[in-house]
């Protein structure tokens, strides 16, 4: 009988209709697929096959990866790039599954795969998988649960990945420079776009570990309200603020954005927050931000986007991200975000694309994680560390290949007379 890797490679090529893009190593030590020094996809345990049969597509692969049954040896970025057609092209995946049901040859291949995988059902999902959220999608309760799943995994773990800046959004790079310098440049870019000055009231929505709030108060004299649903973030931010001597200028609240009672603000920053809001809530979100700004106030909305779908009704949330990274997170095309801001009453004055900046940032975060791997595992779990390595590396490849982007929208609540308050040359903040 052929070894496991050869049998798997043959079956996979029958099911996919194309050669394997990477070399394959099975649990019995056998190998098959393209030769050379490229990355190797390692199936350490045939339980991985049972997971993938039970949940075809991303979720089965994700469970096997998190459980350590599936791994990559060699360059993870190259492996993800080669496998991208299988991972991200959902339409092709769906047609492939339908062909299995209709084609006798494909049914035979699927049956052989079942026999190779061993007895069903599959193992239970890894403990790191998000449990069902209560209260309805994007209710206050479900949003608290989703934020806690992602952010309340330990401030020490985040410090290991993000570095001293504790900024969890893309940095703003020039040639050379450190991650910390690039993150400081991003915070300053936001502050300059908002034209912050002494005494301005800034609302930082989704304030994270307080980095934007501290920068705005310390460097520009702003008075800041930062809100987050993560109690661990809030505790960390308050400690940092006390150490900086800025408690008289910054208030950190554990508060939903729907419950902020004390506008108006001179400016609002929303950095990496809108992805958590959800498509059905996004107009409500922009309406609320508009209402919290004083006339003439500015909003800086920093948001990850996706490419538009030919049929937007067919868009589905990424299964791996939803189950293991950002439960209930959703990405919108850039044009929809702009339109929603305008529908809420904002005048959008500038859009800056930072796609390549995020790819560079993610590669630095992955390097931080890999360089402290044993400590990362001790701080969380082997599965959690594997989740972060895969999600950040895959996201870097997605930004590099223009599957997703990230944009800063500068919008104004322009008063009725039409005076925006912006300079004639709006890009002066980049000089």
């Amino acid at each position: 009988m052929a070894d496991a890797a050869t049998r798997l490679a043959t079956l996979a090529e029958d099911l996919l209709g194309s050669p394997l893009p990477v070399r394959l190593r099975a649990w019995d030590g056998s190998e098959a697929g393209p030769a050379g020094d490229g990355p190797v996809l390692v199936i350490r345990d045939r339980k991985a096959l049972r997971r993938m049969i039970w949940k075809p597509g991303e979720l089965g692969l994700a469970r096997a990866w998190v459980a350590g049954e599936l791994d990559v040896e060699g360059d993870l970025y190259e492996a993800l790039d080669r496998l991208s057609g299988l991972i991200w092209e959902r339409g092709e995946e769906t047609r492939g599954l339908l062909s299995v049901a209709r084609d006798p040859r494909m049914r035979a291949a699927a049956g052989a795969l079942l026999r190779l995988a061993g007895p069903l059902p599959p193992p239970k999902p890894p403990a790191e998988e998000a449990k069902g959220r209560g209260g309805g999608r994007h209710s206050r309760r479900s949003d608290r649960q989703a934020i806690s799943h992602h952010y309340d995994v330990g401030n020490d773990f985040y410090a290991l990945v993000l570095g001293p800046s504790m900024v969890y959004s893309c940095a703003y790079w020039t040639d050379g420079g450190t991650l910390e310098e690039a993150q400081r440049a991003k915070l300053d870019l936001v502050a300059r776009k908002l034209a912050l000055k002494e005494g301005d009231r800034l609302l930082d929505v989704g304030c994270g570990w307080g980095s934007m709030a501290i920068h705005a108060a310390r460097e520009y004299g702003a008075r800041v309200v930062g809100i987050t649903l993560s109690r661990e973030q809030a505790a960390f931010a308050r400690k940092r603020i006390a150490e900086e001597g800025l408690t008289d200028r910054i208030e950190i609240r554990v508060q939903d954005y729907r419950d902020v009672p004390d506008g108006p603000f001179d400016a609002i920053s929303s950095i990496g927050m809108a992805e958590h809001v959800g498509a059905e809530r996004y107009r409500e979100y922009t309406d609320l931000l508009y209402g919290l700004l004083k006339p003439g106030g500015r909003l800086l909305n920093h948001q990850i986007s996706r490419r538009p779908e030919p049929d937007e009704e067919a868009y589905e949330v990424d299964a791996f991200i939803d189950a293991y990274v950002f439960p209930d997170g959703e990405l919108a095309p850039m044009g929809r975000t702009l339109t929603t801001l305008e529908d809420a009453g904002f005048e959008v004055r500038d859009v800056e694309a930072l796609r390549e900046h995020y790819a560079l940032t993610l590669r630095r975060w992955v390097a931080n994680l890999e360089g402290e791997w044993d400590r990362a595992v001790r701080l969380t779990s082997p599965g959690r560390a594997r989740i972060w390595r895969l999600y950040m590396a895959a996201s870097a490849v997605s930004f590099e290949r223009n599957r997703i982007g990230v944009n800063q929208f500068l919008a104004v609540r322009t008063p009725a007379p039409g005076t925006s308050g912006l300079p004639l040359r709006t890009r002066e903040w980049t000089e």
Side-chain angles (χ1 to χ4, degrees):
M1 180 180 289
D3 57 52
T6 300
R7 294 167 66 192
L8 275 174
T10 302
L11 290 169
E13 290 173 358
D14 280 346
L15 290 169
L16 298 172
S18 62
L20 282 175
V22 297
R23 192 158 182 79
L24 182 69
R25 183 186 304 140
W27 56 90
D28 63 352
S30 60
E31 295 191 13
D37 57 359
V40 179
L41 183 65
V42 183
I43 302 178
R44 301 193 184 282
D45 193 308
R46 65 178 185 162
K47 287 187 289 188
L49 302 182
R50 299 207 292 275
R51 295 186 192 275
M52 289 185 276
I53 292 167
W54 196 258
K55 286 290 184 182
E58 284 188 34
L59 188 56
L61 286 166
R63 287 174 173 174
W65 175 272
V66 176
E69 300 154 1
L70 188 68
D71 206 350
V72 167
E73 289 185 4
D75 190 324
L76 179 59
Y77 298 103
E78 183 182 351
L80 290 169
D81 206 19
R82 291 189 187 187
L83 292 165
S84 61
L86 307 180
I87 297 173
W88 285 294
E89 292 177 10
R90 298 172 183 274
E92 292 297 324
E93 175 188 53
T94 302
R95 286 192 287 275
L97 291 173
L98 289 174
S99 72
V100 170
R102 295 168 180 165
D103 187 326
R105 185 174 62 89
M106 293 295 100
R107 288 201 301 272
L113 185 60
L114 278 167
R115 289 190 293 275
L116 186 60
L120 291 173
K124 292 181 180 179
E128 292 84 0
E129 186 165 314
K131 306 301 187 290
R133 278 79 75 189
R137 191 173 177 84
H138 292 297
S139 66
R140 285 168 171 78
R141 179 184 173 188
S142 66
D143 280 354
R144 282 195 304 271
Q145 292 171 331
I147 292 297
S148 179
H149 175 87
H150 186 72
Y151 292 105
D152 292 341
V153 298
N155 293 326
D156 289 343
F157 175 76
Y158 274 99
L160 181 153
V161 173
L162 303 180
S165 68
M166 290 300 285
V167 179
Y168 188 32
S169 56
C170 77
Y172 194 57
W173 296 90
T174 56
D175 291 335
T178 67
L179 173 61
E180 286 67 43
E181 290 167 342
Q183 289 291 17
R184 187 185 188 284
K186 193 277 296 299
L187 297 177
D188 207 59
L189 178 68
V190 172
R192 283 182 280 128
K193 286 182 177 182
L194 291 172
L196 293 178
K197 61 185 184 299
E198 183 75 32
D200 277 353
R201 290 192 79 214
L202 170 67
L203 174 64
D204 188 25
V205 186
C207 65
W209 294 269
S211 299
M212 182 65 211
I214 290 170
H215 187 83
R218 185 181 59 209
E219 305 299 329
Y220 290 85
R223 294 175 295 122
V224 187
V225 173
I227 61 171
T228 176
L229 292 178
S230 168
R231 295 188 179 278
E232 289 196 22
Q233 282 187 334
F236 188 94
R238 288 167 183 153
K239 183 175 183 294
R240 291 178 72 193
I241 289 161
E243 291 170 351
E244 291 274 353
L246 294 170
T247 53
D248 60 329
R249 287 189 171 272
I250 305 172
E251 178 188 2
I252 301 295
R253 304 173 183 168
V254 178
Q255 187 173 55
D256 193 285
Y257 68 88
R258 289 161 283 203
D259 298 328
V260 178
D262 52 340
F265 292 87
D266 298 283
I268 298 176
S269 52
S270 175
I271 306 172
M273 167 63 189
E275 299 90 336
H276 295 291
V277 170
E280 69 269 30
R281 295 277 187 187
Y282 196 63
R283 175 59 193 276
E284 177 188 6
Y285 181 67
T286 55
D287 284 345
L288 285 167
L289 298 189
Y290 185 86
L292 287 168
L293 271 178
K294 73 174 187 180
R298 300 184 189 185
L299 164 70
L300 191 288
N301 182 69
H302 179 114
Q303 181 174 348
I304 299 173
S305 63
R306 60 175 172 82
R307 302 294 297 172
E309 298 281 353
D311 176 11
E312 279 294 316
E313 295 298 319
Y315 167 70
E316 294 180 0
V317 175
D318 182 286
F320 167 57
I321 298 295
D322 191 51
Y324 287 101
V325 186
F326 295 106
D328 291 345
E330 294 179 65
L331 303 182
M334 181 180 70
R336 183 185 297 175
T337 298
L338 192 151
T339 298
T340 306
L341 288 167
E342 289 188 322
D343 288 344
F346 284 106
E347 180 187 6
V348 178
R349 293 300 301 255
D350 186 81
V351 181
E352 184 173 5
L354 301 174
R355 177 169 63 83
E356 293 85 355
H357 293 263
Y358 220 151
L360 290 169
T361 305
L362 283 156
R363 283 180 175 263
R364 296 294 182 95
W365 290 345
V366 171
N368 287 346
L369 176 62
E370 291 177 341
E372 294 278 357
W373 184 258
D374 291 343
R375 182 165 174 257
V377 169
R378 289 196 303 271
L379 288 171
T380 53
S381 68
R384 183 72 63 189
R386 292 174 61 80
I387 290 165
W388 275 74
R389 181 171 179 248
L390 178 62
Y391 124 71
M392 292 191 298
S395 296
V397 172
S398 292
F399 280 111
E400 289 164 353
R401 299 293 177 259
N402 192 28
R403 296 187 186 99
I404 55 177
V406 62
N407 306 281
Q408 288 191 349
F409 297 83
L410 178 65
V412 183
R413 180 175 174 170
T414 305
T419 305
S420 70
L422 271 79
L424 290 175
R425 295 187 178 186
T426 55
R427 285 297 176 93
E428 66 176 17
W429 46 73
T430 64
E431 297 175 358

